[in-house]
Amino acid sequence: MFFGASDLRKGLKILIDGEPHIISDFQFAKPGKGQALYRCKLRNMITGSQFSNTYRSNDKFEKAELEERKMQYLYNQGDEYHFMDTDNYEQLFLTREQLGSNANYMVDNMEVVVLFFGVRPIDISLPIFVNLLVTQADPWARGDTSGTDTKPITVETNYQLNVPPFIEEGDRIQIDTRTGEYVTRVKE
Amino acid sequence: MTMQGLHLRAALFRSIRFFFQHQRFLEVDTPVRLPVLLPESNIQPIKAGSWFLQPSPEQCMKRLLSLGCPMIFQICPCFRDKERGQHHLEEFTMLEWYRLDCDYQDLMDDCENLLRHVFSELYGSEKTCTALAGSRLGTMPLEEPWERLSVAESFQRFSPVRLETALLEDRFDEAIVEYIEPHLGRSRPTFLYDYPAECASLSCLKPGEESVAERFELYIDGLELANGFSELTDADEQRSRFLKERELLGPELRTMELPERFLEDIARIGKAAGIAFGLDRLLMLLLSEQSIERVVSFSPADW
């Protein structure tokens, strides 16, 4: 499948020199009376290397076809994150570098989608929202009713983020995996 | 868009209308649906049946000039296909004004006077000034003369690629975006002027210096707001530019007839200048918004 430059957008996966790349940042520019320019930051999904490039209206792109397989996240051992196909019990691992920020949102036994380029596992895709347990949070100073402040907390994956002050240790919160930001407190 | 933003948008439009009416400009509203386009290879039109939605009101406003309206302005929607991004919407709001017997320098003066008027009015009113808190515009010395920087000077100052090289390698637009735009209008507004003749569009070349066109862009805080020029009113020269431009159009538009009526119109105009000013972007600056979608009532993302 082929795209034109006007189809480019953040998150799109395209082939460059035969390797899959994801557009990590995208900006459309069109200086007065000038031509449309599509400014992309790209990440090679195999090597992780990043670079910027500017494309023009006439440029054509081939979609990076990635195979998706539902797998279960088992555990991590240092930098290696192990997954299992629950149909055939086949196991594999991805490195911390390959997972990038996704590693912040994974808990044991979670179901994820592993992306394969050919036979090679290269990345995962997570649900947009995940619920994680708060493992460390300073108590809420109750006098503070401004409602605008936030405080830093830690969740069970050791990921740290800012949340509203009423969140306490033992709460479960929803996080948007696209931005890494707090969404809401969830009831058990 | 917030309710506060909606009110500021209305106040801005009111203030602009007052400014022009006070100077005896005539407010016009011309058809947004056109049977024929001016060939411009960098603008993709949106079709409306067998006609087109206007990419700008230029055609109609120049006809009014040719019919004897010496000072006209218009606030209207414009449509350009496939323009989407932080600073682009396919439907956006343009302010255009035209003056007979004037040139691009006069339009730069107009821009300074217009924005000084608008800001003092918006900052001066209790109803609108809170919406402007934190706007970069509030920190700029707008009353002092604005920067006027020629394209040639801007390349010398900011670009590692020489102007001649950029033009030769068809990298002019890229150099403007990469190296030059980020520096423009930072401490005060900047007029970038005297564009290479290759980028003249519908502007006239500078008498005695025909490698450049009497064209300028206004930048504030790195954001392009307006494009103005001394109008090309030589129909033969305009026809040959249209023919060249038409060659660059996509297959569907390449066979389009030339806008003969427009060529007749401009031949009757004599000396004139005109400018297109993006009002949504001005609102972005006023409201300190990073995305143009946040300053219109509804954007495509809202459906």
Side-chain angles (χ1 to χ4, degrees):
Chain A
M1 190 176 160
F2 289 86
F3 298 113
S6 64
D7 298 314
L8 295 178
R9 61 179 188 278
K10 193 172 167 177
L12 195 73
K13 301 176 186 100
I14 57 175
L15 279 183
I16 298 173
D17 298 329
E19 294 193 337
H21 288 70
I22 186 163
I23 298 175
S24 56
D25 196 29
F26 173 81
Q27 249 192 326
F28 176 79
K30 195 167 183 291
K33 299 276 170 194
Q35 57 194 318
L37 300 171
Y38 303 84
R39 309 171 76 201
C40 297
K41 282 203 180 106
L42 297 135
R43 181 167 56 83
N44 182 317
M45 296 180 75
I46 294 174
T47 65
S49 69
Q50 302 201 39
F51 59 96
S52 301
N53 208 349
T54 297
Y55 298 102
R56 299 179 179 206
S57 304
N58 296 334
D59 290 326
K60 294 270 180 288
F61 305 88
E62 193 177 345
K63 185 181 177 187
E65 298 288 356
L66 301 179
E67 195 202 331
E68 298 184 353
R69 272 165 71 187
K70 254 191 202 156
M71 297 186 97
Q72 193 176 30
Y73 168 59
L74 298 176
Y75 60 91
N76 77 304
Q77 200 166 31
D79 258 3
E80 295 176 0
Y81 288 71
H82 292 259
F83 300 85
M84 180 176 73
D85 188 324
T86 46
D87 290 334
N88 57 17
Y89 306 108
E90 195 186 311
Q91 289 193 24
L92 56 87
F93 72 86
L94 287 159
T95 63
R96 166 87 213 196
E97 198 188 355
Q98 285 175 307
L99 293 174
S101 62
N102 279 339
N104 293 332
Y105 319 117
M106 298 192 323
V107 288
D108 296 359
N109 302 323
M110 182 187 237
E111 227 182 45
V112 303
V113 172
V114 177
L115 303 176
F116 288 78
F117 183 60
V119 294
R120 198 167 167 183
I122 56 170
D123 199 359
I124 64 165
S125 87
L126 288 178
I128 293 174
F129 300 110
V130 296
N131 297 338
L132 296 174
L133 186 71
V134 179
T135 51
Q136 193 279 315
D138 291 333
W140 181 20
R142 290 215 168 245
D144 178 14
T145 52
S146 63
T148 54
D149 284 347
T150 59
K151 66 177 183 186
I153 56 132
T154 308
V155 292
E156 55 189 310
T157 58
N158 283 328
Y159 173 58
Q160 292 190 341
L161 73 160
N162 286 316
V163 301
F166 58 79
I167 296 294
E168 293 171 340
E169 233 167 77
D171 281 347
R172 205 164 269 282
I173 59 167
Q174 190 171 77
I175 296 174
D176 186 327
T177 60
R178 295 167 302 183
T179 59
E181 283 168 12
Y182 167 87
V183 182
T184 183
R185 180 164 62 178
V186 289
K187 294 217 170 76
E188 283 300 312
Chain B
M1 169 171 227
T2 62
M3 209 39 80
Q4 194 183 42
L6 203 63
H7 279 273
L8 189 75
R9 197 175 159 99
L12 172 67
F13 286 20
R14 262 198 312 276
S15 178
I16 290 170
R17 289 199 161 96
F18 179 86
F19 173 84
F20 283 109
Q21 282 156 0
H22 189 70
Q23 292 186 65
R24 302 191 178 283
F25 271 79
L26 180 67
E27 178 167 11
V28 298
D29 57 325
T30 54
V32 296
R33 218 166 52 97
L34 306 170
V36 59
L37 294 171
L38 311 181
E40 285 193 83
S41 62
N42 291 328
I43 293 179
Q44 310 252 356
I46 293 180
K47 289 203 90 170
S50 59
W51 289 26
F52 302 95
L53 295 177
Q54 65 175 0
S56 99
E58 190 164 6
Q59 254 192 88
C60 292
M61 292 188 77
K62 284 185 184 166
R63 183 175 302 176
L64 289 173
L65 276 183
S66 81
L67 292 171
C69 297
M71 295 155 80
I72 46 176
F73 80 100
Q74 169 156 220
I75 295 175
C76 61
C78 294
F79 303 85
R80 297 180 184 180
D81 201 19
K82 300 199 163 125
E83 300 197 2
R84 55 178 180 89
Q86 257 187 304
H87 304 153
H88 293 83
L89 283 172
E90 290 179 322
E91 174 177 352
F92 59 101
T93 304
M94 196 89 103
L95 160 69
E96 292 209 0
W97 72 94
Y98 291 80
R99 284 174 172 275
L100 273 188
D101 298 318
C102 287
D103 67 10
Y104 69 148
Q105 298 281 353
D106 299 312
L107 294 178
M108 293 188 221
D109 296 341
D110 278 345
C111 285
E112 295 191 12
N113 294 330
L114 169 68
L115 293 195
R116 281 172 194 149
H117 161 79
V118 165
F119 296 148
S120 73
E121 202 164 78
L122 295 181
Y123 275 106
S125 152
E126 252 176 67
K127 277 190 189 145
T128 46
C129 74
T130 47
L132 304 177
S135 170
R136 287 279 292 113
L137 287 165
T139 64
M140 291 190 185
L142 298 175
E143 295 302 323
E144 292 165 26
W146 297 1
E147 181 179 37
R148 299 191 182 196
L149 181 69
S150 76
V151 171
E153 287 170 313
S154 77
F155 269 77
Q156 279 170 9
R157 204 181 291 179
F158 302 123
S159 172
V161 183
R162 289 177 38 150
L163 174 57
E164 296 73 16
T165 317
L167 286 168
L168 210 64
E169 296 177 352
D170 189 22
R171 287 168 62 202
F172 178 79
D173 293 328
E174 260 174 84
I176 289 276
V177 170
E178 294 280 336
Y179 308 123
I180 294 171
E181 277 188 352
H183 299 285
L184 302 180
R186 289 300 177 185
S187 55
R188 59 193 165 131
T190 301
F191 295 108
L192 189 65
Y193 73 97
D194 282 1
Y195 274 67
E198 291 87 334
C199 316
S201 189
L202 281 76
S203 63
C204 73
L205 300 183
K206 197 169 187 167
E209 195 185 339
E210 303 218 322
S211 64
V212 298
E214 292 196 340
R215 191 190 135 200
F216 72 93
E217 300 268 352
L218 168 62
Y219 283 89
I220 303 181
D221 208 25
L223 187 63
E224 175 197 326
L225 287 178
N227 171 75
F229 36 70
S230 308
E231 300 292 351
L232 175 63
T233 53
D234 175 341
D236 293 335
E237 164 71 12
Q238 185 64 72
R239 178 184 299 276
S240 78
R241 284 194 206 170
F242 277 161
L243 285 169
K244 268 191 224 160
E245 202 65 21
R246 193 171 63 173
E247 288 300 304
L248 303 172
L249 295 176
E252 233 182 288
L253 296 171
R254 208 173 299 156
T255 52
M256 192 171 67
E257 280 180 34
L258 284 191
E260 293 298 338
R261 177 73 191 265
F262 177 81
L263 292 168
E264 287 168 29
D265 292 340
I266 61 167
R268 282 199 302 270
I269 290 177
K271 187 180 170 187
I275 174 167
F277 198 118
L279 293 188
D280 306 309
R281 293 201 188 157
L282 180 57
L283 271 159
M284 287 174 64
L285 284 174
L286 290 167
L287 291 166
S288 310
E289 291 288 0
Q290 298 304 308
S291 167
I292 193 167
E293 292 186 349
R294 302 266 308 154
V295 301
V296 295
S297 54
F298 303 109
S299 78
D302 293 319
W303 295 105

